[in-house]
Amino acid sequence: MKTLEEQMSFYLRYHRNPKNRLTHYFGVPLIMFALFVLLGLVRLQIGEVSITAASALAIAVLAYYFRLDAVLAGAMTLFTAVLLIAANRVCTLGAPTALTVFAVAFVGGWTLQLVGHAFEGRKPALVDNFFQIFIAPIFLMAEVFFALGYKREVAKRVQELALQPERGA
């Protein structure tokens, strides 16, 4: 398994432009929210426990984040919980409303992503490595930590690795 720094350095190579990064701070959460709304309409029954597909996906991705970095994963857990709660509330409005909210948020989020990559002049990282779609949220959370002066060693290592020649996904 690649380290957090390795995953983030790959992602960073595609996200150097500040305008691109800014669009991602809105686009990535919008896409996450949209997917949670869509998957929130699907309930899984496991014995006596009922769980949405959105919660199952969130748990799986957060488990991976905890393997990468517990502190960032903790912050992502709080952020993800807020998105899940909001998505669940939308789902209580009924499927037609939820599907409309999903479509608007999903298209809006991807539009922001593509506009950002127009500023960047480079295709999205997920084109070369689809798994990067799961790295985007934790990358953005890490950027918040870096801006606040936390995780300096991680930031330094990510920058160093991003400057090395690309070795593929």
Side-chain angles (χ1 to χ4, degrees):
M1 183 174 97
K2 289 188 177 185
T3 66
L4 173 68
E5 293 87 352
E6 290 167 331
Q7 294 284 4
M8 287 182 58
S9 68
F10 183 89
Y11 190 86
L12 178 60
R13 290 183 185 110
Y14 294 76
H15 302 89
R16 295 276 189 193
N17 184 291
K19 291 177 184 175
N20 185 23
R21 286 174 143 166
L22 180 61
T23 64
H24 282 54
Y25 276 104
F26 296 95
V28 169
L30 264 175
I31 293 166
M32 289 173 66
F33 171 72
L35 291 174
F36 289 159
V37 169
L38 181 64
L39 295 173
L41 294 171
V42 179
R43 287 218 165 261
L44 309 169
Q45 192 70 33
I46 304 168
E48 298 293 318
V49 177
S50 176
I51 184 171
T52 66
S55 294
L57 174 64
I59 290 166
V61 172
L62 288 168
Y64 174 67
Y65 289 169
F66 273 99
R67 291 194 64 196
L68 291 174
D69 185 285
V71 173
L72 292 175
M76 282 304 304
T77 299
L78 294 174
F79 183 72
T80 300
V82 170
L83 292 179
L84 282 169
I85 290 167
N88 187 55
R89 292 205 178 173
V90 169
C91 288
T92 65
L93 301 174
T97 300
L99 290 172
T100 301
V101 170
F102 158 75
V104 169
F106 194 76
V107 170
W110 278 111
T111 299
L112 285 169
Q113 299 293 90
L114 295 175
V115 166
H117 281 283
F119 290 127
E120 187 76 40
R122 187 164 187 186
K123 61 188 172 187
L126 66 90
V127 172
D128 290 330
N129 178 349
F130 185 75
F131 191 73
Q132 290 295 305
I133 203 164
F134 300 109
I135 298 303
I138 197 167
F139 177 90
L140 294 171
M141 185 61 72
E143 287 283 300
V144 170
F145 273 66
F146 300 162
L148 295 173
Y150 299 106
K151 297 280 188 185
R152 290 183 183 166
E153 287 303 312
V154 172
K156 180 181 173 189
R157 183 73 179 133
V158 168
Q159 288 291 339
E160 290 169 354
L161 288 171
L163 293 174
Q164 293 178 2
E166 292 184 47
R167 291 178 278 158

